[in-house]
Amino acid sequence: MAALPPDPSPTTARLPSACPLDCPDACSLEVQLEDGRAVAIAGTRVNPLTDGYICAKVRRFPEHLYGPDRVRYPQIRVGEKGKGQFRRVSWEEALDLVARRMKELVDRGQGERILPFCYGGSNGYLSHDAVDARLFSRLGASRLARTVCAAPSGAAARGLYGKMPGVALQDYAEAKLIVLWGVNPSVSGIHLVPHVQEAQKRGGKLVVVDPRRTRLAARADLHLPIHPGTDLVVALALIRWLFGKGYSDEKFLSEHTTRSEELRRRAEPWTLERAAETARVPVGDLKRFARLYAESQPAAIRCGWGVERNRNGGSAVAAILALPAVAGKFGVRGGGYTMSNSKAWDLDSAAAAGAASWTTREVNMNRLGEVLAGREGGPVDLLFVYNANPAMTIPDQSKVLAGLAREDLFTIVFDPVMTDTARYADVVLPATTFLERSEMSRGYGAMVLQSTRPVLEPVGESRPNHEVFGELCRRTGVARPEDPETAEELAAALLSRSREGEAIAAALARDGAAFPGGNPAPISFVDVFPRTSDARVHFVPEELDTEAPGGLYHFQPEPASASFPLALLSPATDRTISSSLGELRREAVGVELAPEDAQARGISDGDRVRVFNELGEVVCRARRNATLRPGLAVLPKGLWGHNTENGMTATSLAPATLADLGQGACFNDARVQVERL
Ligand SMILES: Nc1nc2c(c(=O)[nH]1)N[C@H]1C(S)=C(S)[C@@H](COP(=O)(O)OP(=O)(O)OC[C@H]3O[C@@H](n4cnc5c(=O)[nH]c(N)nc54)[C@H](O)[C@@H]3O)O[C@H]1N2
Ligand SMILES: Nc1nc2c(c(=O)[nH]1)N[C@H]1C(S)=C(S)[C@@H](COP(=O)(O)OP(=O)(O)OC[C@H]3O[C@@H](n4cnc5c(=O)[nH]c(N)nc54)[C@H](O)[C@@H]3O)O[C@H]1N2
Ligand SMILES: [Mo]
């Protein structure tokens, strides 16, 4: 099966590609080359959602490719840990060293002391869960629970709907009501925005549930600036109201759901009044929201990841996703919900990995600081970081950095650029970006699968993930003759167990893109149904009920204290993708405060401040934001050390506590104080 498109002609000046970075939109791209170098990148229409335009970040990709922070060759540490001093070595020497250190541990029966650390740097199928999984599973390394993002929402969506694909983003134009719930597409998935605007133009209403007044919140019919972490009670109050006022769809409930009475019982304590008080919004606004939702058809809820990053995150997402089932909103184009569409495909990474079973101990990535300190999860002697920048992105940053600074920890960082994490490495390996290698990737918003060929020669001596892990398999002696190795073989293996594998391969080879269930996109409860055991919505799935402290839909109260009264949010910005491309953003970044909170602390615009709690502190400038409600502070996610005065970021203030479901991160449970310096 030829799943990759034919090799592009080297003389062409504009070549097709697709973006596999951690974003819902999965843009189809065209790269303009001059003398073999990328000089410009634009969007195409291969993925219809891209509609010919892309974000400002990826437009700057040539600077990322050729800039001074690009890692061009393998390096080995010469100076003190964390100082970023290295000497150039050959691939041969670097790989020999890494393989030898791995073998030593395996030969001593201590394979579990190897911890692979990988997240969303490249969402492509060829660069994670493929040859990397083959290497680490066969070495008997520890497994990483990838929980930093989407774990609570994933658990909820799996439990209630078996991860049924949701409303296609372009179908939002059809909705008479759009609810953007804890999501900020103006920044973190820009191709939804025109469809929201189109719906508004056609008379549809917009409700935004977000503690901050985002760009779309400012243009909404109703903005509910709820206090962070209170989504659960707002959603439960809506559920209670829908049942109580006769807006529940009894026919749908009996045909397509289980345990609706139990859901109703659990929502019972949450009157609109009580929820409004807890969420700190006017009860009249909640009433308006409830009525709008009940009476609008089609109604679409775009649930984002802002909802999940707190102690109540999993139950909150579950309650939000329950709403369309209670109110009978499915069955029409533009009706239902969208969470993640990542499981729109039945592709099997295990076939590409060639990993039969991998049952070693599991380490939660959100607890990396404690793990490296030896306080939980068992000893780790070798850390292999790829597709991730944990020094900047994992909660409780001070502990993570202390762990990375351990002299007895052997750390490999494999990345296209010299990240803050790479500065702590013993060995730095240069990775190609997605423009310099083949890839197969799917959107988790846009329902599209794309495969791409390299459009550039690798910069310096950089190599693709699958090649480096393949080489390490050979050098550690775990490679097998039947392993798929090349990009073509891996792509074919991925599709080999898919029901539609042949058709997908044909579409990819012909168009570079494939669409699940065809184009136009599937409608919930017409073309797609829950992938639960009985194809019903499970309102109170047993496994979630057991996992959540106090049971599913149990509300855990506000964690603020008199010493740390401000809720710190660290939302996505339009300048980076998580921390990817952060080397291009050199300026100082400040903390935003409501004018009232700034005033109460004698803080003026531009003052040097320290934002602190019991875990750490960030020294930066303050910025008054008149649209921010009192009680909040904002310091964006994805910063690098160079963006603040003391090199610390919002993750230094984020607790490594876990959400109620999926062991997810609780970034937005950070509570802080701010003080003028
Ligand atoms: N430009 C850009 N795009 C990105 C990313 C990026 O960093 N930059 N990151 C990518 C990744 S990894 C992800 S996961 C997605 C994230 O995509 P989004 O979910 O859109 O992004 P976030 O900024 O995490 O959160 C969205 C909103 O939730 C709000 N929020 C915070 N706490 C709460 C709460 O308790 N309740 C409610 N209702 N809202 C809350 C924030 O104010 C924020 O405006 O975007 C992806 N796309
Ligand atoms: N304070 C705070 N922190 C947060 C969040 C928050 O809300 N608040 N949100 C979190 C979220 S949503 C997420 S998803 C995580 C993301 O955290 P990470 O997964 O650590 O994401 P990035 O910081 O983008 O790091 C990805 C790295 O992969 C590299 N990379 C890209 N392509 C390749 C490749 O092909 N091969 C290799 N080897 N490397 C490659 C990039 O250069 C980059 O350095 O951050 C979390 N951090
Ligand atoms: Mo994320």
Side-chain angles (χ1 to χ4, degrees), residues 40-56:
I41 302 182
T44 66
R45 292 187 169 73
V46 172
N47 173 6
L49 189 71
T50 305
D51 197 22
Y53 68 95
I54 60 166
C55 67

Side-chain angles (χ1 to χ4, degrees), residues 80-83 117 365-373 375 383 385 389-409 411 413 419-425 615-618 639-642 644 646-653:
E80 214 181 300
K81 276 236 163 168
K83 292 279 189 273
F117 196 96
M365 68 193 297
N366 291 324
R367 307 283 302 168
L368 182 65
E370 290 294 324
V371 171
L372 293 182
R375 282 190 289 269
L383 179 71
V385 179
N389 184 14
M392 294 296 131
T393 56
I394 297 300
D396 202 351
Q397 183 176 34
S398 307
K399 283 210 191 78
V400 172
L401 294 181
L404 291 173
R406 257 176 53 195
E407 271 301 328
D408 63 332
L409 179 71
T411 302
V413 177
T419 61
D420 287 302
T421 309
R423 299 174 64 81
Y424 284 86
L615 298 173
E617 69 171 15
V618 176
L639 299 187
W640 285 34
H642 57 233
T644 68
N646 66 337
M648 304 300 280
T649 71
T651 54
S652 70
L653 305 165

Side-chain angles (χ1 to χ4, degrees), residues 22 149 309 637:
D22 194 345
C149 174
R309 307 195 205 291
K637 85 163 172 175

